[in-house]
Amino acid sequence: MRLLFIIIFLLNLQVSSGQNRINVTVSPIVKSKDNSSPSNIDSIAITNLKFYLTKFSLTKSQNTVWQEENSYHLIDITNPKSLDFALNLSKNIDFDAIHFLLGTDSLTNVSGVMGGDLDPTKGMYWAWNSGYINFKLEGENNTIPFEFHLGGYAPPFQTVQKIKLKTNSKNNLTIELDIINFLKQLDLTTQKKIMSPGKEAQQLAIMLSTLFSIRE
């Protein structure tokens, strides 16, 4: 009888664990639906795309119902495994919106060298006085290179951005970032390199924050 009870308990635990998990897929849109390049670009090749999504939380009717601890996710288009991760909840939670940051907050930037996705060997850290690169996009337009390394945590040009997305999904979420739309808003003939914090980096980070959506 005791053995039967233990088996039932373990089965219930497995079912509960499955319900307390939200699978997140991040999908950067790097091609138009017809597989064409943006109208303002003749020939484009993206060679590097990395960005941080951090501080995930869930809300219901604008009230926070869950927050992820040690919430740092480095999205790297060259590493398919980085595009999928799980949010592990302690119990079933009802929510109607997901929140996160594009980039790393100021506390993270002044906390010294860290590990995991924040390890400087990931290629997303400038130096102690400049901090982390929040978003990195590199490629070529008509064989002419472009580089956008957006970061900076010190006032008045902080680049970290708060994102809030409404959702009806509960177990599987696909978060899209429309890189094509981002490129359409740039003039790559004149605006093709940002490698340090500043007003221009901040403006592009704000633009990027409007290009996230949930695929329902």
Side-chain angles (χ1 to χ4, degrees), residues 85 156 184:
F85 55 88
K184 283 181 178 179

Side-chain angles (χ1 to χ4, degrees), residues 39-159:
S39 59
N40 62 321
I41 298 172
D42 295 326
S43 178
I44 188 169
I46 294 175
T47 57
N48 194 10
L49 173 60
K50 296 181 181 180
F51 52 92
Y52 279 110
L53 300 184
T54 67
K55 304 294 183 183
F56 276 84
S57 65
L58 304 174
T59 60
K60 176 67 175 179
S61 301
Q62 302 186 32
N63 295 313
T64 301
V65 294
W66 178 84
Q67 292 178 304
E68 184 180 38
E69 296 183 4
N70 300 316
S71 184
Y72 303 101
H73 302 276
L74 177 59
I75 309 304
D76 181 353
I77 198 172
T78 66
N79 177 17
K81 290 183 178 180
S82 74
L83 304 180
D84 296 284
F85 55 88
L87 302 178
N88 296 306
L89 315 182
S90 59
K91 60 181 179 180
N92 290 335
I93 293 174
D94 188 24
F95 62 95
D96 57 22
I98 185 168
H99 301 242
F100 55 90
L101 300 181
L102 170 60
T104 55
D105 62 14
S106 58
L107 180 60
T108 300
N109 280 275
V110 299
S111 295
V113 175
M114 304 177 75
D117 278 357
L118 294 173
D119 193 310
T121 61
K122 301 292 185 179
M124 295 291 284
Y125 188 74
W126 274 319
W128 67 269
N129 59 336
S130 299
Y132 283 92
I133 300 169
N134 293 329
F135 175 89
K136 179 184 286 189
L137 175 63
E138 300 173 345
E140 292 183 347
N141 176 34
N142 294 319
T143 72
I144 300 174
F146 60 82
E147 294 178 289
F148 298 105
H149 294 188
L150 309 182
Y153 66 91
F157 299 124
Q158 303 96 321
T159 53

